[in-house]
Amino acid sequence: MPCSSSWRLSYQVHVSAMLPSDVPLPHLGPSALLLLQLLLSPTSAFFPNVWSLLAAPGSITHQDLTEDAALNVTLQLFLEQPPPSRPPLHLEDFLGRTLLADDLFAAYFGPGSPSRRFRAALGEVTRANAAQDFLPTSRNDPDQHFDAERLGQGRTRLVGALRETLVAARALDHTLARQRLGAALHALQDFYSHSNWVEMGKQQPHPYLLWPRQELGSLAQGKCSHGGHFDRSSSQPPRGGINKDSTSPSFSPHHTLHLQAAKLALLASIQAFSLLRSRLGDRGFSRLLDITPASSLSFVLDTTGSMGEEITAAKIQARHIVEQRQGSPMEPVHYVLVPFHDPGFGPVFTTSDPDSFWQQLNEIHALGGGDEPEMCLSALELALLHTPPLSDIFVFTDASPKDAFLTNRVASLTRERRCRVTFLVTEDQSRCQGRARREVLSPLRFEPYEVVALASGGEVIFTKDQHIRDVAAIVGDSTADLVTLPLDPPIVVPGRPLMFSVDRLLQRVTVRIHGQVSSFCIRSPEGVSQGPEEGQGPLGHTRRFGQFWMVTMNDPPQTGTWEIQVTAEGNPRVRVQAQTSLDFLFHFGVPMEDGPHPGIYPLTQPVAGLQTQLLVEVTGLGSRGNPGDPLPHFSHVVFRGVPEGAELGWVPLEPKGPRERGLLAASLPPTLQSAAGPFSLELIGQDGAGRDLHRAAPQACTVVPVLLELSGPPGFLAPGSKAPLSLRIASFSGPQDLDLRTSVNSSFALTSNLSRVRLEQNESAWGRLWLEVPDSAAPDSVVMVTVTATGREASPVALTHAFLRLLVLAPAPQDQLAAPAQSSGPVLTTASPAFRPSPLVTWGRAGGGLAGNPWWGTVGGVLLLLGLASW
């Protein structure tokens, strides 16, 4: 299927025509049958892939198929598992409506429940799917697209990718699982476009395609080539082509069969999602797609002898969150704990069970050590490797980092993972006499924490030992669905007030101020003021803990422009946060026009010299001040330098597809290409009543000077093996003279044939790396390979990082997903609630885990192939 479209489609078929002929209807529950009727009703329509070029209007894309299949299986899960403390869902309520993630979450979890994490997880799958047409390691591989009549080999790759999805999900590595799921769905969907299954008159998905022990049967004898404008083999005997990728005759010789191929590909995609659900169970499947409004809870703890109060504070907050949210939709579904001291850090502890997390946290005590500095950034990097994207990570320490050389790498990693890091630092002079110091420490020794916090959208909060328990209350607040409101100016400037805008969709507005503050004044849009006095005031309730103030504004807050005037010494910090479901996701993309599937190649950061698009997905559009109001909308985006806030330009946002989908795009202004430092995104628009809306991205972005693509081996990593890795580095903005450095987990060996390169504009270089996996490597352990490009003295270039995330896996002694007895294919049923899996608990490895990232961004093609003997 193509990666481009701009259209809608409706069609109607009978339920019996959608199922494999050998799967009896009694195997499907009533909700599944009704769900399939809903899926194919005349009012149903596919959403366009709005990030693509308009090369083939009216075409169904991989993104359409993947999103629709995921939403339908999610609805089926919601129908079969009634929400706790809420009335059950009824399928009739969704008939005649387009399925939207926001609507599903509001109906199941309650009004205003954010679908942001689910949509972000689904975005990982869809981007990994589309990337198969762009990555150099996959775009020309016929086995990954069911091309060149290599159907047996294609089925082997497809089944292998689904198996890898299952194994990675069970190892709680959901980023890898989503990457492999995207690759599997791409191949599965391509089968119906690139084979002659549709030409043979088939009206149902292939009954044996997902079962490796069943024969495919006679297919594709002399079917010619892929075909289309870019297929060089289409002019060679046998001439022609049969692809049904699009509705355009220029791209697809059999374009008239496109809709029939898309119908079967959609049904097959639903089968694949349902198969994973049945094998993982409902809890495991929900974790795979992050079907929850809740955040994870991730702690990085200094365990040296002086940290007793800080560890107690972390325990109190963790216990409070667990007890307060247990059984509710906001209960965390993923817990991460990483201790550190000197010279060690780790191991990482991850679990989905709050009781296991509490037990492990309760066993941590402040022992030994006591000298400064400590291995804080190494522990944080390990936490980033195991923490889901869009999460908050809290670091408790009273020491500066011994491993400050990791600062830029960890900062880059927080942007890749979209995780926000908050440092709670107790630099208490009353205790410094008891903490040994091996050297005279610089007053700037905490600067690495500032760099990481700025890159991640977090903050560094300095407090004292006696206040840490109260200040740590921000942990519970931050794990709620909060947005950070943009300030103008973003930093305190003497004599100038900080201004921020409050709209009707915000609740629980909180102002945090910390530093050497002598006084402050908050003024409402109506001119009412409140100072730093503790207790209840006219605008809200103020709490003070040393030099840390927290003001919780009265609900509902007054709408309009607010002001904060701060009088202080040094660099005081001000942050305003609020609870809302109206937020946005974003990534960047580069138009690809020179291949058989025009579309957008996704990146997490723009690359200098490349024409780049900003791609925005607004979440929570269903929330509005009054039920009858029009939908809120965003009209343009403003780019500002970080941290000073100088405007770097603005561009209009162009809606793509149906308005309720919330998809927007914009071309980055040329001024950003010359931006020397990081920049922020601020969306400007109006709510349904025509009042101003402001939303800011939590993380800063940066233009990277070169593109790094790091690709993994076509197979799994096994203990004692040696795996080849591919590296591509490209410059699009001018000559670059670069040094390349590599790193990997301490017990692994990594060699490279490329350590220095000089590139001219629009020039690329390729390198080969070899990763040696030790015999002692434990199965299910995560490996992180990092490549860093730095400019040499004659050509100074900002650091650029590429991260490759791999998983060590021992071959399974038995079938992981064997077909059920006397079954010819997957059945659209789910595991019984009585057989829910027990909570998952995994241990990482101590001493040097490196942190990972999604496959896109400055990385390019990150591919992981695990591999087992059979399903």
Side-chain angles (χ1 to χ4, degrees):
M1 297 298 161
C3 295
S4 59
S5 71
S6 178
W7 44 269
R8 302 183 68 181
L9 167 73
S10 297
Y11 53 82
Q12 182 179 21
V13 298
H14 295 290
V15 174
S16 59
M18 300 185 300
L19 304 174
S21 56
D22 295 339
V23 178
L25 290 179
H27 281 238
L28 295 170
S31 63
L33 293 175
L34 289 173
L35 184 65
L36 292 173
Q37 289 176 323
L38 166 66
L39 170 68
L40 297 173
S41 65
T43 57
S44 177
F46 296 118
F47 288 112
N49 181 343
V50 300
W51 315 135
S52 64
L53 306 178
L54 301 180
S59 302
I60 297 176
T61 71
H62 283 294
Q63 179 176 349
D64 298 321
L65 297 169
T66 302
E67 289 182 350
D68 282 348
L71 287 170
N72 275 275
V73 176
T74 300
L75 175 57
Q76 183 176 341
L77 186 153
F78 286 173
L79 291 170
E80 296 174 357
Q81 300 293 335
S85 305
R86 287 186 55 80
L89 272 64
H90 300 286
L91 183 63
E92 293 76 11
D93 295 335
F94 296 90
L95 291 173
R97 294 169 51 189
T98 297
L99 283 182
L100 296 172
D102 288 345
D103 293 344
L104 288 180
F105 269 56
Y108 191 77
F109 296 110
S113 297
S115 64
R116 186 169 180 261
R117 291 177 180 84
F118 170 65
R119 292 175 68 170
L122 189 53
E124 289 185 63
V125 178
T126 59
R127 287 191 291 272
N129 185 328
Q132 301 306 301
D133 283 331
F134 302 129
L135 295 176
T137 52
S138 60
R139 63 186 179 191
N140 295 320
D141 185 350
D143 294 352
Q144 299 191 50
H145 303 277
F146 281 97
D147 287 337
E149 302 187 10
R150 295 174 60 86
L151 300 183
Q153 297 90 330
R155 200 260 294 269
T156 299
R157 288 288 189 93
L158 163 61
V159 171
L162 282 175
R163 182 191 311 122
E164 295 150 13
T165 301
L166 174 65
V167 174
R170 286 176 171 168
L172 298 184
D173 199 327
H174 297 110
T175 293
L176 289 178
R178 292 163 194 156
Q179 293 169 15
R180 301 312 304 142
L181 176 57
L185 291 172
H186 187 100
L188 177 65
Q189 293 156 6
D190 270 357
F191 171 83
Y192 297 97
S193 177
H194 297 174
S195 76
N196 62 340
W197 182 256
V198 173
E199 283 81 354
M200 293 171 62
K202 303 296 185 180
Q203 300 295 316
Q204 309 156 13
H206 196 296
Y208 308 130
L209 191 58
L210 297 179
W211 302 128
R213 294 182 174 180
Q214 302 287 344
E215 293 294 331
L216 283 178
S218 178
L219 275 175
Q221 299 300 317
K223 77 173 181 64
C224 307
S225 58
H226 177 274
H229 179 70
F230 292 97
D231 184 3
R232 297 178 181 177
S233 68
S234 61
S235 61
Q236 303 171 1
R239 293 179 175 84
I242 68 166
N243 94 69
K244 298 162 281 294
D245 286 348
S246 71
T247 59
S248 169
S250 298
F251 290 94
S252 303
H254 285 200
H255 60 96
T256 58
L257 297 175
H258 170 72
L259 298 185
Q260 177 65 12
K263 182 195 76 171
L264 298 184
L266 174 61
L267 296 174
S269 299
I270 291 177
Q271 289 180 338
F273 274 113
S274 298
L275 175 63
L276 290 173
R277 181 189 168 200
S278 68
R279 296 302 188 265
L280 292 172
D282 286 345
R283 290 190 64 184
F285 183 77
S286 295
R287 284 190 292 265
L288 172 63
L289 294 184
D290 224 346
I291 307 176
T292 173
S295 174
S296 63
L297 186 60
S298 186
F299 283 169
V300 179
L301 289 180
D302 184 344
T303 60
T304 48
S306 59
M307 286 291 295
E309 283 297 328
E310 292 83 346
I311 294 173
T312 300
K315 292 178 180 179
I316 292 173
Q317 287 305 314
R319 193 64 179 175
H320 175 72
I321 292 171
V322 168
E323 292 178 347
Q324 185 183 53
R325 301 182 184 181
Q326 195 161 17
S328 74
M330 297 308 295
E331 178 184 357
V333 295
H334 198 86
Y335 300 86
V336 180
L337 177 62
V338 184
F340 71 93
H341 48 88
D342 180 32
F345 61 95
V348 60
F349 178 79
T350 64
T351 181
S352 61
D353 179 23
D355 293 330
S356 297
F357 176 73
W358 169 247
Q359 179 180 358
Q360 187 62 33
L361 181 61
N362 206 37
E363 292 177 358
I364 291 181
H365 302 282
L367 298 172
D371 57 353
E372 186 179 2
E374 310 290 351
M375 300 293 287
C376 180
L377 295 184
S378 297
L380 175 56
E381 196 173 38
L382 187 59
L384 282 163
L385 176 62
H386 293 273
T387 300
L390 303 178
S391 296
D392 281 279
I393 300 176
F394 300 93
V395 181
F396 291 79
T397 186
D398 62 355
S400 57
K402 182 179 181 180
D403 44 9
F405 64 91
L406 294 175
T407 301
N408 289 322
R409 192 165 81 193
V410 172
S412 178
L413 190 57
T414 62
R415 287 190 288 262
E416 295 284 341
R417 300 291 290 166
R418 301 286 169 90
C419 285
R420 183 169 51 193
V421 181
T422 298
F423 294 88
L424 297 170
V425 182
T426 47
E427 177 64 359
D428 192 339
Q429 296 299 323
S430 66
R431 292 188 301 161
C432 290
Q433 297 176 357
R435 176 183 270 278
R437 292 180 172 178
R438 290 164 292 181
E439 59 187 31
V440 178
L441 298 175
S442 166
L444 300 178
R445 63 190 183 278
F446 294 108
E447 186 63 24
Y449 298 162
E450 302 282 2
V451 173
V452 172
L454 181 65
S456 70
E459 58 186 325
V460 180
I461 298 176
F462 291 93
T463 186
K464 294 184 182 299
D465 181 63
Q466 63 266 34
H467 301 306
I468 183 61
R469 296 192 187 187
D470 295 310
V471 174
I474 68 167
V475 174
D477 293 335
S478 297
T479 54
D481 185 45
L482 299 180
V483 296
T484 299
L485 304 185
L487 295 172
D488 183 22
I491 56 177
V492 174
V493 178
R496 285 188 60 186
L498 303 174
M499 296 185 293
F500 64 95
S501 178
V502 173
D503 57 72
R504 295 191 300 168
L505 305 181
L506 298 176
Q507 303 177 50
R508 294 187 59 206
V509 176
T510 302
V511 178
R512 298 208 300 258
I513 303 173
H514 54 97
Q516 300 180 41
V517 178
S518 57
S519 68
F520 65 85
C521 178
I522 303 175
R523 186 182 302 274
S524 73
E526 297 179 355
V528 180
S529 299
Q530 180 169 323
E533 296 78 15
E534 290 189 77
Q536 183 64 41
L539 299 178
H541 186 268
T542 300
R543 291 176 290 169
R544 178 183 180 181
F545 315 110
Q547 292 300 109
F548 182 90
W549 285 265
M550 184 182 301
V551 184
T552 303
M553 315 310 295
N554 298 328
D555 265 338
Q558 296 177 21
T559 59
T561 300
W562 290 63
E563 295 184 359
I564 306 174
Q565 187 77 51
V566 179
T567 303
E569 297 180 5
N571 298 308
R573 315 296 174 85
V574 179
R575 172 165 293 214
V576 182
Q577 292 183 305
Q579 187 170 348
T580 181
S581 59
L582 182 68
D583 201 356
F584 69 97
L585 303 164
F586 73 96
H587 64 280
F588 301 96
V590 177
M592 305 288 287
E593 303 177 0
D594 58 349
H597 303 119
I600 293 289
Y601 179 80
L603 306 168
T604 47
Q605 303 294 330
V607 179
L610 284 180
Q611 177 190 351
T612 305
Q613 295 280 312
L614 170 66
L615 313 170
V616 174
E617 185 173 0
V618 181
T619 63
L621 277 176
S623 59
R624 61 193 82 180
N626 297 308
D629 287 348
L631 291 175
H633 71 280
F634 292 101
S635 57
H636 60 283
V637 57
V638 177
F639 304 92
R640 299 185 184 277
V642 173
E644 71 283 352
E647 184 173 323
L648 303 177
W650 69 274
V651 290
L653 288 166
E654 181 183 354
K656 299 290 184 178
R659 187 173 177 181
E660 64 270 15
R661 186 68 174 88
L663 302 175
L664 309 167
S667 297
L668 295 187
T671 52
L672 281 186
Q673 291 290 337
S674 58
F679 62 91
S680 65
L681 305 175
E682 183 179 338
L683 268 58
I684 310 296
Q686 294 182 328
D687 63 14
R691 299 178 180 177
D692 289 345
L693 282 177
H694 298 257
R695 293 291 185 271
Q699 287 89 18
C701 306
T702 185
V703 178
V704 297
V706 292
L707 175 67
L708 291 179
E709 291 182 328
L710 187 57
S711 302
F716 63 91
L717 297 182
S721 65
K722 188 173 183 179
L725 313 177
S726 297
L727 172 67
R728 178 194 175 217
I729 180 169
S731 172
F732 304 95
S733 59
Q736 304 282 4
D737 200 3
L738 304 169
D739 287 326
L740 301 176
R741 300 195 306 269
T742 61
S743 63
V744 71
N745 303 48
S746 58
S747 59
F748 291 70
L750 183 66
T751 57
S752 173
N753 67 352
L754 189 64
S755 61
R756 180 177 298 175
V757 63
R758 178 173 176 81
L759 299 173
E760 300 298 327
Q761 185 171 356
N762 296 324
E763 188 174 37
S764 299
W766 293 83
R768 175 73 71 176
L769 292 78
W770 291 94
L771 176 64
E772 295 186 35
V773 184
D775 294 332
S776 59
D780 297 342
S781 58
V782 179
V783 184
M784 180 59 58
V785 179
T786 304
V787 176
T788 303
T790 59
R792 303 179 65 190
E793 292 184 4
S795 175
V797 174
L799 294 175
T800 305
H801 301 278
F803 305 97
L804 177 60
R805 185 185 183 106
L806 301 167
L807 188 67
V808 177
L809 179 70
Q814 59 190 18
D815 255 350
Q816 288 275 331
L817 283 177
Q822 299 180 346
S823 172
S824 59
V827 180
L828 295 184
T829 60
T830 183
S832 168
F835 294 96
R836 283 178 173 239
S838 59
L840 300 176
V841 178
T842 66
W843 277 95
R845 313 301 162 208
L850 300 180
N853 64 295
W855 63 264
W856 63 92
T858 55
V859 193
V862 174
L863 300 177
L864 170 72
L865 298 179
L866 306 176
L868 294 171
S870 64
W871 283 109

